[in-house]
């Protein structure tokens, strides 16, 4: 059985690992500072310059000329220290599965698609879908700060007309929902 001190050390290690995780570090260069709701954040691109160079070397289609700066990106919290106790640090980080989903959207997205991401966190797949031309994108999460990260990144990339956010809990029953019904996350 793990005693309290051991659990605290494990949690500290996990938080430290997430903070130094290279996927969550600012690869746009040192010296850039952004804040969302007075909390320090950094940009996380779908592809960093190293991944972009590898892709270019293996890409036969010479018409693809995306630069790293043109790569879709999201904001991620830089440190757990600045978050409020109600904020979920894990919801403010880019997970490998989010990168995989974003890469699949980048490659296969049909512009006629409407995309909804459940549990979006900082929303890299949602932002990628919007940047790749989806007609409508909805990013949902329970964590309000995660939704603010998505909104800030969407605003910086001029995606507000395509991408909307919605607070949504998959475990909460929807009142008066009929069979085959749908959930409307549009603003009232």
């Amino acid at each position: 059985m793990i005693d309290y001190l051991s659990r605290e050390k494990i949690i500290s290690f996990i938080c430290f690992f997430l903070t130094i995780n290279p996927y969550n570090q600012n690869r746009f260069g040192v010296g850039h500072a952004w804040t969302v709701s007075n909390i320090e954040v950094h940009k996380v691109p779908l592809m960093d310059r190293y991944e972009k160079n590898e892709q270019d070397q293996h890409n036969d289609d010479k018409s693809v000329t995306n630069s790293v700066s043109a790569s879709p990106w999201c904001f991620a919290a830089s440190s757990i220290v600045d978050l409020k106790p109600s904020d979920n640090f894990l919801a403010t980080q880019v997970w490998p599965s989010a990168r995989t989903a974003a890469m699949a959207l980048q490659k296969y997205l049909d512009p006629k698609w409407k995309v909804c991401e459940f549990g979006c966190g900082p929303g890299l797949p949602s932002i990628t879908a919007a940047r790749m031309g989806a007609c409508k994108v909805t990013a949902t999460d329970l964590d309000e700060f995660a939704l603010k990260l998505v909104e800030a990144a969407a605003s910086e990339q001029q995606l507000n007309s395509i991408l909307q956010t919605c607070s949504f809990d998959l475990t909460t029953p929807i009142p008066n929902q009929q069979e085959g019904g749908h959930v409307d996350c549009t603003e009232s």
Side-chain angles (χ1 to χ4, degrees):
M1 188 162 129
I2 299 175
D3 63 20
Y4 178 75
L5 184 58
S6 297
R7 280 187 300 199
E8 186 176 60
K9 286 180 182 177
I10 291 170
I11 291 170
S12 296
F13 173 76
I14 290 170
C15 292
F16 174 74
F17 173 76
L18 287 170
T19 303
I20 64 165
N21 183 343
Y23 283 118
N24 290 328
Q25 294 303 307
N26 179 2
R27 294 182 181 187
F28 280 99
V30 179
H32 291 103
W34 293 275
T35 60
V36 174
S37 298
N38 295 319
I39 295 175
E40 186 177 323
V41 298
H42 58 272
K43 288 183 178 180
V44 179
L46 174 58
M47 279 193 263
D48 67 18
R49 62 184 167 269
Y50 307 110
E51 293 167 325
K52 175 67 179 120
N53 289 339
E54 280 182 26
Q55 183 190 43
D56 287 346
Q57 290 172 0
H58 293 85
N59 194 346
D60 294 332
D61 181 7
K62 301 300 181 196
S63 65
V64 177
T65 58
N66 286 341
S67 67
V68 175
S69 61
S71 179
W73 55 268
C74 65
F75 284 125
S78 297
S79 170
I80 194 171
V81 176
D82 299 327
L83 295 176
K84 294 181 285 185
S86 62
D87 295 329
N88 178 359
F89 180 71
L90 300 178
T92 67
Q93 300 302 296
V94 178
W95 292 85
S97 57
R99 276 186 182 280
T100 302
M103 285 184 211
L105 285 165
Q106 186 178 44
K107 187 172 182 177
Y108 299 109
L109 183 107
D110 183 326
K112 295 179 271 186
W113 288 0
K114 293 179 182 177
V115 176
C116 181
E117 182 181 8
F118 293 100
C120 66
L124 186 58
S126 293
I127 290 167
T128 301
R131 288 279 302 267
M132 296 297 113
C135 63
K136 181 179 179 180
V137 179
T138 304
T140 71
D141 205 296
L142 274 175
D143 190 87
E144 292 299 321
F145 183 64
L147 295 175
K148 288 178 185 176
L149 291 173
V150 177
E151 291 165 359
S155 177
E156 288 269 332
Q157 296 173 77
Q158 290 83 40
L159 301 172
N160 292 345
S161 63
I162 301 166
L163 195 150
Q164 69 175 10
T165 61
C166 177
S167 182
F168 185 69
D169 182 356
L170 284 172
T171 64
T172 303
I174 301 167
N176 302 323
Q177 181 185 18
Q178 297 177 354
E179 191 173 325
H182 69 280
V183 177
D184 186 8
C185 282
T186 58
E187 296 177 24
S188 11

